Amino acid sequence: MLEIRGLRHAYGGRTVLDVPEWAVGRGEASLVLGSSGSGKSTLLNVIAGLATPVSGSVRVDGEDVPSLAPARRDAFRARKVGLVLQTLHLIGVVSVRENLRLAQRLAGHAVDERRIDEVLAGLGIDRLSRARADEISVGEAQRVAIARAVVNRPALILADEPTSALDDANCARALALLFEQAAGCGATLLVATHDNRIRSHFARRLDL
Amino acid sequence: MKLARLALAYLAARPLLTALNMTMLALGVATIAFLLLVTHQAEERLARDAKPVDLVVGAKGSPLQLILSAVFHADVPTGNIGVDEAEAILANPMVASATPVALGDSFRGFRIVGTDASFPGLYDATLAQGRLFAAPMEAVLGAEVARRHALAPGAKITGSHGLAQAGPAHDEHPYVVSGVLAPTGTVIDRLVLTSVESVWEVHGHHGPQPGKAALPAPAGQRLEITALLVRYATPLAAAMLPRAINATTAMQAASPAYESARLLDLLGAGVETLRWFAVVLMASAALSVFVALTSALQERRYDLALLRTLGARPATLAALTLAEGVTLLVGGVILGLVAGHGAAEGLGIWLGRTGSWPLTGFAWVGGELALVGGVLAVGLLTCLVPAVQAYTSDPATLLGKR
């Protein structure tokens, strides 16, 4: 599903990412572990097509993401990738439901209210549907961020430090939700973190 | 969720700033729209009222005052001229027609004009009801006078001295309404017409009014009128007749076209100042929209990065920023037009109550299209800078800085 070869990325001449070879199969879950500044977020950005590496290939479902034209890269990301960002950033001025609708529209899909209901219910946040996104708690925002990442049934879920700000109980809960949702849509799950608490949950791991 | 709705949501999230930006823009647009409406209608009205008259002959004094009193009926006369002097003008071969005007009184703010049967013809006015005045103390009402006071033939009205409604009344000399004119859109709609003899009769019972504008002479004395409205028989008359009258008689001749242009020039300086003030106001508003969009963009850079992660193209982000700016612009322009037209209508209602110059806000002046186009064009240029910033923002860098 995901194949990386000779991937190198640099900022101002300084190499920040170097992955000679790595692959993850369809439906697998894998951890990208590394300290701050090790290039975890950069790797996820390159895989998602948000950053272009200096060299190397990143193939997702056979498509070499860095070599795609910008417009096709945007379309690829919308269609195939679900992102959970470290800051759980939501569009605060609209409701939780509108955040999910926005994700569907930007992916080029028609708004599917039943799918939104299903995802919100699956994450236990259906009661928040009409709440403004900037008025919910951090724990709730985390669930909404996961809901948004899976609402389009992506082939690949990329989560950047999803648990680093959470206590043990919430960390376990968030991880369980990610696994559950990824399994629910048959997606490959990649979690980038420096949080050693979760390394035991993953069979596969890339150390940076 | 559609882009426009998201743009609206962003604007609604900062209600005070949004309202201030729109209000600033609206103030500029309203001021210019108001000035356009007022000046356009004033110019049109002056031109329409002055067109039927080539020359006004009256007592010496300010030529502008003579025109304002005898043509536009908005000022007190400069004095009176003798009927014998007026008849000499009439005999001049360069004069095609001369209509006498005897002023002095008004009916509830509408001027009573002593004249002859040729006066309605100057403005192509026709009778809507009744007939023209024939006997003394009969009067024909302009359409606006009749409408405002619900008068019809057979009604009795009394005049009072001067143009103000509070002047001493001539209750003992009522006029009988003999007819009502159809609307013409000219000054005649706001006049009460009667014969010159009726005006003489009313004032035959009064002595001279100290400190008041001169009135036609009492009966038995030298007969006077206020002015003569002259139409030339030949274009050559425009060059010769006014000079001849001004040089060789005790009267003055003034051209309504020339004096109207002079009046508009006098008003023009003030209007131009206000217009520039409004332009400065709008420039400030455009700058304010620019600052608002730029700062909003700065605040929302993570939102924009997030939208990119969800698949939004750079052009989509630029369109979102533009949509926000355009909403501000269109809102400000609409508010401004409504306020400008509302102010013109409000002024029109107030002026209408005082019986003077009619003005409406329910009109559209060609210049307003240029105003709207200009504001939107400048506003869009202002929005382009933040839109380009949104277009070129790098989501990976922004997310990395979080």
Side-chain angles (χ1 to χ4, degrees), chain B:
Chain B
M1 183 181 205
K2 287 180 180 165
L3 266 188
R5 281 178 64 189
L6 186 56
L8 283 178
Y10 279 132
L11 288 172
R14 308 198 307 174
L16 184 63
L17 197 62
T18 302
L20 282 175
N21 276 319
M22 274 196 189
T23 306
M24 271 186 78
L25 193 62
L27 276 176
V29 172
T31 309
I32 293 191
F34 175 79
L35 291 175
L36 282 172
L37 278 168
V38 172
T39 51
H40 177 81
Q41 289 183 56
E43 284 169 13
E44 206 177 45
R45 186 72 196 222
L46 288 178
R48 213 162 44 214
D49 289 347
K51 197 177 170 192
V53 183
D54 292 327
L55 191 72
V56 178
V57 180
K60 283 210 187 291
S62 156
L64 182 58
Q65 188 184 346
L66 177 62
I67 299 299
L68 282 174
S69 62
V71 178
F72 302 120
H73 300 280
D75 202 351
V76 292
T78 49
N80 290 328
I81 58 173
V83 168
D84 49 338
E85 291 173 301
E87 278 169 350
I89 300 289
L90 197 56
N92 191 309
M94 285 187 282
V95 173
S97 70
T99 304
V101 168
L103 307 175
D105 294 342
S106 65
F107 165 65
R108 296 181 191 171
F110 295 109
R111 178 162 264 171
I112 296 172
V113 180
T115 186
D116 64 19
S118 68
F119 192 92
L122 288 175
Y123 299 94
D124 294 328
T126 54
L127 280 161
Q129 298 175 55
R131 58 174 175 76
L132 208 58
F133 52 85
M137 303 315 293
E138 283 187 341
V140 170
L141 307 182
E144 179 63 15
V145 185
R147 189 193 65 78
R148 184 75 61 82
H149 297 294
L151 294 168
K156 285 188 176 178
I157 61 170
T158 52
S160 55
H161 279 308
L163 266 174
Q165 296 187 36
H170 293 293
D171 292 338
E172 70 282 14
H173 285 97
Y175 291 95
V176 177
V177 176
S178 65
V180 173
L181 296 172
T184 62
T186 64
V187 69
I188 200 171
D189 293 349
R190 309 174 69 77
L191 298 178
V192 175
L193 306 183
T194 187
S195 63
V196 175
E197 291 76 12
S198 302
V199 177
W200 286 339
E201 187 173 324
V202 170
H203 296 100
H205 298 272
H206 294 275
Q209 301 291 305
K212 299 275 178 187
L215 294 169
Q221 297 178 17
R222 178 187 179 234
L223 292 177
E224 290 181 330
I225 58 170
T226 307
L228 263 185
L229 309 182
V230 173
R231 300 206 66 163
Y232 295 138
T234 157
L236 197 63
M240 298 175 66
L241 192 59
R243 195 179 301 167
I245 293 170
N246 287 331
T248 62
T249 72
M251 301 179 290
Q252 73 161 328
S255 155
Y258 177 78
E259 295 303 327
S260 303
R262 211 159 65 88
L263 179 64
L264 287 172
D265 272 355
L266 287 172
L267 295 173
V271 168
E272 200 58 20
T273 309
L274 280 174
R275 207 171 277 176
W276 277 110
F277 172 71
V279 167
V280 170
L281 207 63
M282 280 200 301
S284 315
L287 196 65
S288 156
V289 169
F290 172 76
V291 171
L293 284 182
T294 310
S295 71
L297 210 63
Q298 190 61 23
E299 275 174 29
R300 245 183 275 134
R301 57 196 188 281
Y302 300 112
D303 278 19
L304 295 181
L306 175 76
L307 291 171
R308 293 279 283 123
T309 68
L310 292 175
R313 294 179 182 188
T316 309
L317 303 189
L320 176 67
T321 310
L322 271 181
E324 211 174 316
V326 167
T327 306
L328 276 176
L329 287 172
V330 171
V333 166
I334 290 174
L335 265 179
L337 288 177
V338 168
H341 282 251
E345 184 61 23
L347 181 64
I349 290 170
W350 181 76
L351 287 172
R353 277 200 196 122
T354 63
S356 53
W357 185 61
L359 172 74
T360 178
F362 295 103
W364 178 260
V365 179
E368 286 181 273
L369 198 64
L371 168 68
V372 171
V375 172
L376 291 181
V378 172
L380 276 176
L381 278 177
T382 313
C383 298
L384 269 182
V385 178
V388 168
Q389 283 176 352
Y391 185 91
T392 52
S393 63
D394 175 18
T397 310
L398 285 174
L399 292 171
K401 283 179 184 167
R402 183 74 167 182

Side-chain angles (χ1 to χ4, degrees), chain A residues 45 50-51 71 74-75 77-78 83 85-87 89-94 98-99 101-103 105-107 111 132 148, chain B residues 1-2 5-6 9-10 12-13 302-314 316 394-397 399-400 402:
Chain A
N45 284 339
L50 287 166
D74 292 333
R77 186 168 55 253
L83 267 164
L85 301 169
Q86 186 176 0
T87 51
H89 199 89
L90 304 173
I91 304 290
V93 296
V94 295
E98 291 289 5
N99 267 271
R101 284 179 180 154
L102 196 58
R105 276 194 194 281
L106 288 173
V111 170
R132 241 176 82 139
R148 189 181 55 198
Chain B
M1 183 181 205
K2 287 180 180 165
R5 281 178 64 189
L6 186 56
Y10 279 132
Y302 300 112
D303 278 19
L304 295 181
L306 175 76
L307 291 171
R308 293 279 283 123
T309 68
L310 292 175
R313 294 179 182 188
T316 309
D394 175 18
T397 310
L399 292 171
R402 183 74 167 182

